[in-house]
Amino acid sequence: MEKIVKKSIKMVFKTLIQQGDHKEAYEFTTRGDLFKKGQSEYLRFEEKFGEEQTVQTTMKWNGHELMLIRQGSILMRQAFIAGETTVGRYVTPEISWETTAKTEKVIVAWPNGKKRGKIHLRYHFLMQGQDTGTHEVRLTLEEDKSK
């Protein structure tokens, strides 16, 4: 049985969404865990939506595909592969929508030693066929030695 070694990670999560002339940005800082299981690496952390909604977010990277999995008040599963279009699903207690991501860029570099790591994702996103704009997601990752 393979032993899973977790690293505590501090991260800054930034998102910019552009739809025509409208831009929306948000940013938060959180902590999470980075670990390897089999041939894939995982980053797991909590996201807060509004005052009361908490979502457990997992990013799974296999060297080619970045899979985003959200579980909690929002359920979401979406793959991102550079240069490809992928189909996923976004579910709340009220609705269930098909999602489509046309991914332009996926860069994943995990923290190594004292260096910072990053995840950079740029994609055009549709929910139930409706254009939600171009999304740019940047995570800055740093090993949290305080834990």
Side-chain angles (χ1 to χ4, degrees):
M1 184 98 185
E2 180 184 8
K3 184 179 179 197
I4 297 172
V5 178
K6 287 185 181 182
K7 288 182 185 177
S8 291
I9 298 292
K10 293 187 287 189
M11 74 180 86
V12 177
F13 189 111
K14 296 180 182 180
T15 299
L16 174 65
I17 302 168
Q18 184 164 351
Q19 187 174 27
D21 292 338
H22 179 73
K23 286 185 181 180
E24 186 178 332
Y26 69 92
E27 177 178 331
F28 65 91
T29 302
T30 189
R31 286 181 156 69
D33 291 312
L34 178 63
F35 58 96
K36 185 172 183 165
K37 186 175 175 185
Q39 297 302 308
S40 297
E41 295 181 272
Y42 296 81
L43 176 64
R44 186 170 288 152
F45 58 95
E46 272 191 5
E47 283 184 88
K48 294 197 185 315
F49 293 89
E51 293 294 315
E52 298 177 14
Q53 294 183 328
T54 300
V55 175
Q56 183 72 37
T57 300
T58 303
M59 292 181 150
K60 176 185 175 187
W61 174 246
N62 67 9
H64 173 70
E65 173 187 88
L66 183 66
M67 176 66 74
L68 174 66
I69 303 161
R70 287 183 169 137
Q71 296 174 298
S73 54
I74 295 170
L75 299 174
M76 183 177 180
R77 190 170 183 90
Q78 182 71 54
F80 300 95
I81 303 169
E84 294 190 23
T85 299
T86 53
V87 176
R89 177 117 338 247
Y90 182 91
V91 180
T92 71
E94 295 82 29
I95 53 105
S96 176
W97 284 336
E98 181 179 275
T99 57
T100 305
K102 296 176 184 174
T103 307
E104 294 176 27
K105 182 185 288 188
V106 179
I107 298 171
V108 177
W110 300 124
N112 199 350
K114 293 184 179 183
K115 295 180 186 172
R116 289 182 170 196
K118 68 178 178 181
I119 296 175
H120 183 185
L121 186 57
R122 184 177 167 86
Y123 57 95
H124 196 79
F125 199 60
L126 291 95
M127 290 182 78
Q128 206 63 22
Q130 297 297 307
D131 183 358
T132 68
T134 300
H135 296 236
E136 187 136 14
V137 178
R138 293 178 184 264
L139 282 79
T140 304
L141 311 168
E142 188 174 354
E143 196 168 343
D144 184 359
K145 300 283 191 183
S146 66
K147 282 190 133 185

